[in-house]
Amino acid sequence: MIAKHVAMRSQGKSDFAGLVNYITDKQSKEHRLGQVRLTNCEAQSVRDAISEVLATQFANTRAKSDKTYHLIVSFRPGEQVDAKTLADIEDRICEGLGFGEHQRISAVHNDTDNLHVHIAINKIHPKHNTIYEPYYSHRALAELCGAMEQDYGLQQDNHMPRRQGAEARAADMERHAGIESLIGWIKRECLDELKAAQSWSQLHQVMSANGLELKARSNGLVVVASNDVMVKASTLGRDFSKPKLEARFGPFEPGQTQQASPRRMYRKEPVRLRVNTTELYAKYKAEQATATANKTAALEAARQQKDRRIGHAKVKGKARRAAIKLTGSSKLTKKLLYAQASSALKADIDAIQKQYREERTAIYEANARRTWADWLKQKAQQGDTEALAALRAREAAQGLKGNTLRGEGQTKPGYTPVIDNITKKGTIIYRAGSSAVRDDGDRLQVSRESGQAAVQSALRMAMERYGNRITVNGSPEFKARVIRAAVDGQLPVTFADPGLEQRRQSLARGQSKTDAKARSRRAGVPPIGQCPPSIRRNQLQALSQLDALSFEQRASRAAIQPKPSEQEQRKARLRAQMDAKKAKRQKKGRSL
């Protein structure tokens, strides 16, 4: 587990509402957003909580620094943590940093290979209205993460950064963008040769042979590549700082211009992968150039159209003012009409400007430049198998761990699952009912919170992709769920583990017997295959010894007559009442 504070370099870009909108946005992905949690807020919804936090920040007028603290808690690949543990970890980290009483909104994200939690914290205290900034937060976070790994049984991670400064930023660029950095290229290609130099001339010669140049800059030294990309010399190692080099070789001596062509030189290209990506990268460069040209042309067309619309609006406003001038109205009436015409022109121009801004936003989104890794991800989502293979060949890509299913066989080319998302490591995330199943090309992973339907869906996917022989890895509980899913779904699978396969066969036989008994036990029909009692086996019996229903005397005919229905009884009562009334009238007439 790693906890990292994402610092905002520019205070003008600090926006609590924008941060919360980002971390709570599903981005059209079914399983990206997990649990959203509001802490120390009176509001019950995210929208109201944002307004409450912004009101608290507005109450502090003295603080000039960033008032929002963005914290990310990330777990090891394949590690699944339940919601209660995530909430406890969040509370302990915020308490340890001193934000226990501060307002915060957190959201769990499942759209990458690492389960992670974004926490947006208000640095303004809700009661005191004072700002709080943790002191050396990276040390406190490292200690907290180490302690919680022990307490919650999580996988241990390295909490202290191995790289710092420019070296760490270069490593992040290679991991996220997939493009080789100058620092990484030098360390992989010629660092040993640079260390072996014994004088300034030899050092400059090695630099020139690799397309590099060592120059003095301010009080230090920089290494400049042929494409004008430069890094501090001390970033390559403390032995390459200016004081250390001058202690070895004497005062700095500038290098002389070399006429010979270098043996190799740094190019801003993808990091070397296990697969050849030359054609893919050429296609990527061509598409980026096309997108840039299309964006320029579209922006120019939108600007010209905006100018034409504004011109038409001004002509229309001028005609309206001319018409007002020709009217024979009073001075006050004309003044009111001119004011209305000016307001109408201003409203038209504002509407045109708003439409132009929306068009520009749409153009930038449609022709946005993408990093190499993002472009591969986009192509993989569109069904490009070469791009997906390139993502999975990256050094950062690692196999899925935890509760996984693995089949033995070849992938069926006709099988295309419904993709919900693809990570930068080439892991496919697709829907399985209300849960998500991950596929790294070798095995399938089912999350801990997935139901039995998701496990059964993952089994079917593994069968369709790799064959009927399945290898199950994970906890004993997960293995038991897989066996039960295979038996309940009557799936024709075979487990590679003999113990699991024996258990599956035993449950399958028991299930078949149970189903047969359930089918045979009908109302009034005895079960098939039951043996008679011992006294009745292999013996002849008289009719009086059989289980039969006998009648002592003949039932009377009246007893077996059917009972009249309720409607017939009602008709009989009405007929009797009518007969009684008729008889009464006749009797009264005779008396008169």
Side-chain angles (χ1 to χ4, degrees):
M1 179 180 68
I2 294 178
K4 181 180 180 181
H5 169 224
V6 182
M8 183 63 66
R9 295 184 179 180
S10 175
Q11 181 188 355
K13 296 182 179 180
S14 177
D15 183 10
F16 186 87
L19 175 59
V20 174
N21 289 333
Y22 164 73
I23 67 176
T24 58
D25 184 12
K26 291 186 177 181
Q27 296 183 356
S28 302
K29 302 173 186 176
E30 186 70 21
H31 299 285
R32 177 181 190 263
L33 184 62
Q35 182 184 18
V36 178
R37 189 164 176 252
L38 311 179
T39 307
N40 297 328
C41 295
E42 299 293 337
Q44 300 298 323
S45 65
V46 175
R47 298 293 96 196
D48 295 340
I50 292 175
S51 301
E52 182 180 344
V53 171
L54 293 179
T56 305
Q57 292 183 348
F58 184 76
N60 183 297
T61 58
R62 299 178 60 185
K64 303 300 180 183
S65 60
D66 186 11
K67 299 179 182 180
T68 302
Y69 196 88
H70 183 194
L71 188 66
I72 300 178
V73 182
S74 179
F75 299 87
R76 298 284 293 177
E79 193 167 33
Q80 300 292 332
V81 186
D82 58 86
K84 184 179 182 305
T85 304
L86 288 176
D88 293 342
I89 290 174
E90 176 190 339
D91 293 340
R92 288 184 59 176
I93 289 179
C94 293
E95 286 284 350
L97 291 178
F99 290 121
E101 298 180 355
H102 288 240
Q103 300 158 323
R104 64 179 185 267
I105 300 175
S106 63
V108 181
H109 284 188
N110 304 295
D111 58 336
T112 64
D113 294 280
N114 301 74
L115 175 69
H116 58 282
V117 183
H118 289 269
I119 308 175
I121 307 174
N122 180 18
K123 292 164 63 174
I124 306 299
H125 196 279
K127 295 182 180 179
H128 306 152
N129 290 334
T130 55
I131 191 169
Y132 172 74
E133 182 70 38
Y135 181 73
Y136 275 85
S137 60
H138 62 281
R139 294 182 179 178
L141 290 174
E143 295 176 359
L144 288 169
C145 290
M148 285 186 290
E149 285 175 350
Q150 298 291 334
D151 296 343
Y152 297 106
L154 303 176
Q155 300 180 28
Q156 294 187 0
D157 213 326
N158 178 34
H159 305 297
M160 298 304 295
R162 300 176 183 176
R163 304 181 181 93
Q164 295 181 354
E167 186 180 6
R169 291 191 294 271
D172 290 341
M173 184 192 75
E174 290 185 351
R175 182 169 57 255
H176 294 293
I179 299 297
E180 191 172 26
S181 64
L182 177 58
I183 298 174
W185 183 84
I186 293 175
K187 288 188 173 183
R188 282 185 285 267
E189 298 293 339
C190 58
L191 184 60
D192 294 336
E193 297 179 15
L194 295 175
K195 289 182 177 180
Q198 299 298 324
S199 63
W200 287 112
S201 60
Q202 291 184 9
L203 184 60
H204 287 301
Q205 186 177 0
V206 174
M207 289 277 186
S208 178
N210 291 276
L212 304 173
E213 185 178 0
L214 185 65
K215 295 182 178 181
R217 185 181 179 90
S218 298
N219 294 328
L221 300 175
V222 294
V223 179
V224 185
S226 57
N227 54 2
D228 295 333
V229 179
M230 66 176 64
V231 294
K232 292 171 58 177
S234 59
T235 308
L236 304 177
R238 297 308 305 170
D239 294 337
F240 290 93
S241 64
K242 186 177 181 180
K244 292 291 183 67
L245 289 176
E246 288 183 341
R248 291 173 56 192
F249 306 144
F252 174 71
E253 299 176 3
Q256 298 180 357
T257 305
Q258 300 289 336
Q259 300 296 333
S261 59
R263 293 176 300 172
R264 53 178 175 258
M265 62 178 59
Y266 168 72
R267 293 183 177 86
K268 206 170 183 180
E269 294 180 348
V271 181
R272 293 181 182 178
L273 305 177
R274 297 189 297 270
V275 297
N276 188 1
T277 59
T278 304
E279 295 183 1
L280 276 176
Y281 190 69
K283 188 185 298 184
Y284 161 74
K285 297 289 288 184
E287 288 192 9
Q288 294 302 300
T290 303
T292 302
N294 292 341
K295 180 178 66 175
T296 303
L299 288 175
E300 180 63 22
R303 186 186 63 80
Q304 293 178 1
Q305 187 177 9
K306 180 207 63 169
D307 293 340
R308 287 194 298 269
R309 290 173 180 172
I310 292 178
H312 293 329
K314 289 182 178 180
V315 170
K316 183 179 178 181
K318 187 176 181 180
R320 186 183 293 114
R321 293 179 67 88
I324 295 172
K325 186 177 181 180
L326 295 176
T327 60
S329 303
S330 63
K331 187 175 181 180
L332 180 60
T333 303
K334 286 186 177 181
K335 185 176 181 179
L336 294 175
L337 292 175
Y338 282 137
Q340 291 179 357
S342 299
S343 299
L345 177 60
K346 184 177 182 301
D348 292 341
I349 294 177
D350 290 342
I352 294 171
Q353 294 286 3
K354 181 180 179 181
Q355 183 179 359
Y356 175 62
R357 288 193 296 269
E358 293 176 353
E359 291 176 354
R360 282 175 57 89
T361 302
I363 291 171
Y364 277 112
E365 291 179 355
N367 301 279
R369 292 186 60 86
R370 301 179 184 273
T371 63
W372 166 242
D374 289 333
W375 184 83
L376 288 177
K377 177 180 174 180
Q378 180 192 26
K379 291 298 180 182
Q381 289 176 339
Q382 295 174 359
D384 192 332
T385 56
E386 294 183 0
L388 182 60
L391 284 175
R392 289 173 173 172
R394 297 179 63 196
E395 293 183 2
Q398 300 177 358
L400 293 174
K401 301 177 182 179
N403 298 333
T404 59
L405 300 175
R406 182 179 182 181
E408 298 180 7
Q410 297 295 329
T411 303
K412 296 184 179 181
Y415 178 70
T416 54
V418 179
I419 297 175
D420 185 62
N421 186 32
I422 296 181
T423 68
K424 290 185 179 181
K425 297 180 182 179
T427 302
I428 302 175
I429 304 175
Y430 51 91
R431 302 184 187 94
S434 59
S435 304
V437 178
R438 298 170 181 263
D439 178 16
D440 67 349
D442 187 38
R443 55 180 63 86
L444 302 175
Q445 183 191 62
V446 185
S447 60
R448 180 180 297 179
E449 292 80 8
S450 299
Q452 201 66 7
V455 177
Q456 194 172 115
S457 299
L459 269 176
R460 296 183 186 275
M461 294 175 188
M463 289 170 51
E464 293 175 352
R465 289 179 63 85
Y466 304 116
N468 296 344
R469 186 173 176 83
I470 305 298
T471 301
V472 185
N473 296 317
S475 63
E477 178 187 1
F478 175 71
K479 293 179 180 179
R481 292 174 60 193
V482 172
I483 295 173
R484 174 53 60 185
V487 173
D488 292 344
Q490 298 181 356
L491 303 179
V493 298
T494 302
F495 294 119
D497 189 343
L500 297 182
E501 177 61 21
Q502 183 178 1
R503 178 62 177 165
R504 184 196 68 81
Q505 294 178 2
S506 176
L507 289 177
R509 287 193 296 268
Q511 184 73 19
S512 61
K513 290 181 179 180
T514 303
D515 294 342
K517 290 181 179 180
R519 288 192 300 268
S520 64
R521 290 178 180 175
R522 300 175 183 174
V525 179
I528 300 175
Q530 289 188 356
C531 298
S534 57
I535 59 174
R536 297 185 181 180
R537 294 178 187 173
N538 304 323
Q539 293 182 5
L540 295 176
Q541 298 179 1
L543 186 61
S544 60
Q545 295 176 337
L546 296 177
D547 295 335
L549 181 64
S550 60
F551 298 94
E552 296 295 335
Q553 59 183 1
R554 186 176 181 181
S556 62
R557 182 174 298 180
I560 61 176
Q561 289 182 354
K563 184 179 180 181
S565 63
E566 184 178 356
Q567 186 176 5
E568 293 177 350
Q569 293 178 6
R570 190 182 303 111
K571 288 182 178 180
R573 287 195 298 270
L574 291 174
R575 191 178 295 109
Q577 292 176 3
M578 292 176 64
D579 292 342
K581 291 180 179 180
K582 185 177 180 181
K584 187 176 181 180
R585 286 196 300 269
Q586 291 178 356
K587 183 179 180 181
K588 186 176 181 181
R590 285 195 296 268
S591 63
L592 293 175

